[in-house]
Amino acid sequence: MSGHTENSVFIAAPFGVVWAATNDVENWPDLFTEYASVEILEQRSDAECQADTVRFRLVMHPDADGRVWSWVSERTVDHERREVRAHRVEPGPFRYMNIHWSYEEVDGGVRMTWVQDFAMRPDAPVDDEAMTVRININSVIQMEVIRGKLERLAAGELDPAGAGAGAPGTPGVAGMARDTRA
């Protein structure tokens, strides 16, 4: 058995805003509410394929039991196809975890879709079915947070240069994690 999820969100913002912010892995702790930190381990670029690959370590905020989850992932951005493929290099409780992000320009914004295919290890704290439920719940939450932040960024309500660079009290992209309005 294995797990599969597919979740989408419509973001009323220009493609360039959505693409740039969601592919700026270094600033994911400011975009997502679940990540405490990210460390970029390696970056490669293939100009011929218009693809960039980044290997990074994500660290989550402590869970309800105080555990801090961390793993290394590798993510390849395909500019031409407007998609991203990722997988966990350190799978942790997963036997494997593969993620596909796609971006479709639609009238008035962008439809961003995340597809996740995975299988849990036999000794993992949850099975494939339970993880599917968790991922589906959390993806919707994170997508709504991202939607809200990027729509406010596109509307000029967030300063893309970072907190403190804009109007007083106006969080920027670098300060989005502290701004949890969706």
Side-chain angles (χ1 to χ4, degrees):
M1 186 166 161
S2 61
H4 172 85
T5 66
E6 182 170 341
N7 293 280
S8 293
V9 65
F10 172 78
I11 303 170
F15 175 81
V17 169
V18 176
W19 180 262
T22 59
N23 288 299
D24 183 2
V25 174
E26 194 168 19
N27 284 310
W28 275 9
D30 296 324
L31 186 61
F32 292 81
T33 60
E34 62 189 340
Y35 301 136
S37 66
V38 64
E39 176 187 2
I40 304 299
L41 304 173
E42 178 185 354
Q43 291 184 304
R44 309 186 292 284
S45 207
D46 183 343
E48 186 176 314
C49 297
Q50 293 190 6
D52 296 311
T53 300
V54 61
R55 185 175 283 215
F56 56 98
R57 173 171 296 285
L58 275 174
V59 179
M60 295 186 75
H61 293 288
D63 67 15
D65 297 323
R67 288 179 296 204
V68 175
W69 297 91
S70 175
W71 64 90
V72 172
S73 287
E74 189 167 277
R75 192 167 195 275
T76 300
V77 176
D78 186 327
H79 302 277
E80 188 174 310
R81 289 192 172 111
R82 295 183 171 187
E83 66 180 22
V84 179
R85 297 210 178 261
H87 68 279
R88 284 191 179 197
V89 176
E90 293 177 358
F94 295 91
R95 281 193 296 131
Y96 66 88
M97 166 61 89
N98 298 315
I99 306 170
H100 177 242
W101 291 34
S102 61
Y103 302 79
E104 177 187 7
E105 278 187 274
V106 292
D107 190 31
V110 176
R111 173 146 320 276
M112 181 176 68
T113 302
W114 298 344
V115 175
Q116 298 179 67
D117 291 302
F118 60 90
M120 302 307 294
R121 299 169 63 94
D123 60 343
V126 296
D127 63 13
D128 293 340
E129 186 177 336
M131 184 54 76
T132 298
V133 170
R134 284 184 181 195
I135 289 173
N136 277 326
I137 290 169
N138 192 55
S139 290
V140 170
I141 291 168
Q142 293 304 311
M143 287 179 142
E144 280 302 307
V145 168
I146 291 167
R147 179 197 57 75
K149 289 175 180 180
L150 296 185
E151 287 179 356
R152 288 195 318 280
L153 178 65
E157 297 172 20
L158 293 176
D159 173 22
T170 305
V173 173
M176 285 194 280
R178 292 169 295 286
D179 181 11
T180 57
R181 293 175 290 164

